[in-house]
């Protein structure tokens, strides 16, 4: 089966299975840089490297009170041209036997055309009656823990060892997906999934830890797709489920002569984490006007949507930012950028 057809079948299958549509679209790489306007605003460089997609108004400060993403951006690397949000995660590196590091490239997922980056999902409610409330300007959130040393909230990140083509399961973060790095070669690369909460307190656009203003629905599971379960009284507003998928092209490193001789695995997050628990997803809302609410109300599916403006993959790929921090991030590096302590 052709890749594109297969991906469409998967989207349709997931929709049929869960009775819900899901927007799924690519955002090409905007920049790979050591800045983090959510956790370390104004600090250049930030402690570790991130890979970022979305609107090109992304910068180190992005003061929520004044920074208007749709107004300040002149392009977006995402498919829907009214989406100037920014989305970012940690970056994967390969560690060679001699202790040097090489950044692992990202590739687009099956059925999508992009320059690396992130596949972004917005999933409305499971039933047609529950209306989801789109985010407001200034809204931000974070999931995961850059210092995570043990398995955490299962939804924050999991790894899937991908087959050469075709996906092996419809449910993200269900076994054999794991929060730790896979222990063997993945012929189709390693896909990471990050799934955000679906309940908002309805008041705060952000919170000191960038997490407490949102929460997962009571009784929902890591493998649930979209807003399921009931939002608690503390966080009564149902928001779209945002989910990131990133496909890391580890294929060039699938060589037993390159892997550690002690049976361990060679990949490490830009945080310094060799186990896999420290990946994290950062989100800064930046859809123009009511475009996201329109798309949620219309229950748009896949990467086409009648009520949204779309740009070609070529246009999206042209939207890039120069790096702010001038340092070497490619080639064999003696330390990870920022030299985080390896754990
Ligand atoms: C980020 O962008 C805003 C809006 O254009 C600008 O006012 C601010 O100075 C920029 N900050 C940095 C650190 O570049
Ligand atoms: C370290 O190992 C890599 C991968 O085997 C190799 O390409 C690189 O040249 C080595 N670097 C040094 C300084 O030996
Ligand atoms: C929701 O509405 C769509 C379009 O009207 C319909 O095809 C679908 O069956 C409905 N789903 C449920 C769960 O009622």
């Amino acid at each position: 089966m052709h890749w594109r057809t297969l991906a469409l079948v998967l989207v349709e299958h997931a929709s049929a299975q869960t009775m819900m549509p899901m927007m799924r679209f690519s955002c090409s790489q905007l920049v790979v840089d050591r800045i983090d306007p959510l956790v370390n605003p104004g600090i250049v460089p930030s402690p570790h490297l991130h890979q970022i997609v979305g609107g090109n108004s992304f910068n180190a400060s992005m003061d929520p009170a004044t920074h208007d993403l749709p107004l300040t951006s002149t392009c977006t690397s995402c498919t829907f041209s009214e989406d100037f949000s920014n989305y970012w995660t940690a970056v994967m590196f390969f560690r060679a036997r001699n202790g040097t590091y090489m950044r692992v490239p990202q590739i687009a997922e099956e059925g999508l055309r992009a320059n690396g980056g992130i596949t972004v999902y917005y999933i409305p409610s499971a039933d047609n009656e529950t209306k989801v409330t789109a985010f407001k300007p200034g809204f931000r959130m974070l999931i995961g823990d850059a210092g995570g040393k043990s398995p955490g909230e299962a939804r924050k990140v999991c790894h899937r060892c991908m087959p050469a083509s075709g996906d092996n399961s419809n449910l993200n973060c269900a076994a054999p997906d794991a929060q730790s790095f896979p222990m063997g070669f993945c012929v189709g690369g390693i896909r990471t999934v990050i799934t955000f909460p679906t309940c908002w307190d309805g008041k705060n656009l952000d919170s000191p830890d960038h997490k407490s203003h949102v929460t997962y629905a009571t009784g929902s599971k890591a493998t649930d797709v979209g807003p399921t379960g009931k939002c608690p009284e503390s966080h009564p507003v149902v928001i779209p489920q945002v989910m990131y998928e990133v496909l890391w092209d580890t294929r060039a490193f699938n060589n037993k002569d390159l892997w550690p001789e002690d049976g361990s695995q060679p990949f490490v997050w830009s945080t310094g984490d060799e186990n896999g628990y420290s990946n994290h997803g950062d989100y800064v809302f930046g859809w123009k006007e009511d475009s996201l609410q329109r798309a949620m109300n219309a229950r748009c599916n896949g990467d086409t949507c009648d009520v949204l403006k779309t740009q070609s993959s070529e246009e999206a790929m042209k939207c890039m930012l120069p790096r702010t921090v001038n340092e070497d991030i490619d080639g064999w590096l003696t330390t990870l950028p920022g030299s985080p302590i390896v754990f």
Side-chain angles (χ1 to χ4, degrees):
M1 197 185 292
H2 189 266
W3 274 30
R4 176 158 179 83
T5 320
L6 181 65
L8 286 175
V9 167
L10 287 174
V11 168
E12 278 155 18
H13 182 71
S15 306
Q17 191 185 44
T18 57
M19 305 283 264
M20 81 178 83
M22 49 178 78
M23 277 166 74
R24 171 188 188 262
F25 58 93
S26 63
C27 294
S28 282
Q29 202 73 68
L30 182 71
V31 65
V32 178
D33 208 348
R34 204 142 64 78
I35 55 179
D36 186 342
L38 188 54
V39 177
N40 303 111
I43 296 176
V44 181
S46 65
H48 53 260
L49 196 66
H50 291 117
Q51 60 91 15
I52 302 118
V53 304
N56 70 343
S57 75
F58 180 80
N59 73 20
S61 52
M62 300 186 86
D63 178 356
T66 55
H67 193 100
D68 184 331
L69 285 77
L71 198 70
T72 316
S73 300
T74 56
C75 68
T76 171
S77 71
C78 297
T79 304
F80 293 115
S81 46
E82 290 155 292
D83 181 12
F84 300 102
S85 307
N86 288 117
Y87 311 89
W88 66 97
T89 76
V91 173
M92 194 183 286
F93 281 86
F94 169 80
R95 186 162 63 168
R97 285 182 184 177
N98 61 20
T100 64
Y101 298 92
M102 173 75 88
R103 185 162 70 90
V104 178
Q106 291 154 246
I107 44 174
E109 291 201 86
E110 288 187 40
L112 298 175
R113 208 171 120 59
N115 168 25
I118 303 180
T119 304
V120 175
Y121 289 72
Y122 283 85
I123 313 174
S125 58
D127 59 78
N128 289 346
E129 285 70 46
T130 312
K131 294 291 174 228
V132 295
T133 303
F135 311 103
K136 306 269 179 290
F139 183 90
R140 289 123 186 257
M141 61 181 167
L142 161 74
I143 58 166
D145 176 2
K149 293 187 171 60
S150 54
E153 170 60 65
R155 299 164 174 94
K156 76 173 181 191
V157 60
C158 58
H159 304 83
R160 176 170 296 186
C161 195
M162 295 297 279
S165 73
D167 203 344
N168 51 4
S169 157
N170 286 306
L171 283 180
N172 287 327
C173 296
D177 291 11
Q179 293 190 52
S180 48
F181 279 117
M183 291 307 293
F185 296 164
C186 297
V187 293
I190 298 173
R191 187 174 80 190
T192 52
V193 180
I194 294 178
T195 309
F196 287 82
T198 56
C199 305
W200 176 44
D201 71 9
K203 298 185 194 90
N204 298 295
L205 298 173
D206 196 0
S207 45
D209 62 358
H210 313 291
K211 296 178 181 175
S212 343
H213 58 312
V214 289
T215 192
Y216 294 96
T218 308
S220 65
K221 301 183 296 295
T223 49
D224 284 348
V225 178
T228 56
K230 199 170 160 27
C231 283
E233 271 176 38
S234 58
H235 296 75
V237 181
V238 184
I239 48 177
Q241 180 145 62
V242 177
M243 186 167 85
Y244 302 169
E245 287 179 348
V246 181
L247 186 52
W248 302 93
D249 189 3
T250 54
R251 292 174 299 181
F253 307 105
N254 285 349
N255 176 344
K256 68 176 180 6
D257 296 331
L258 293 176
W259 276 48
E261 285 163 299
D262 67 1
S264 60
Q265 68 82 37
F267 298 102
V268 48
W269 286 114
S270 52
T271 53
D273 164 27
E274 301 179 301
N275 302 306
Y277 306 132
S278 74
N279 192 14
H280 46 283
D282 295 72
Y283 176 73
V284 175
F285 171 78
W287 285 76
K288 192 175 177 184
E289 294 156 6
D290 68 343
S291 50
L292 179 61
Q293 187 68 60
R294 280 200 319 266
M296 291 292 98
N297 293 351
R299 297 177 77 73
C300 290
N301 192 38
D303 65 354
T304 54
C305 175
D306 289 346
V307 299
L308 290 179
K309 297 193 182 101
T310 305
Q311 63 181 349
S312 67
S313 310
E314 282 65 30
E315 283 301 314
M317 285 189 273
K318 276 189 221 153
C319 191
M320 288 187 281
L321 263 185
R323 280 196 287 135
T324 298
V325 178
N326 183 14
E327 64 183 347
D328 200 4
I329 61 166
D330 291 311
W332 292 104
L333 309 176
T334 52
T335 60
L336 291 168
S339 309
I341 294 160
V342 177
F343 61 93

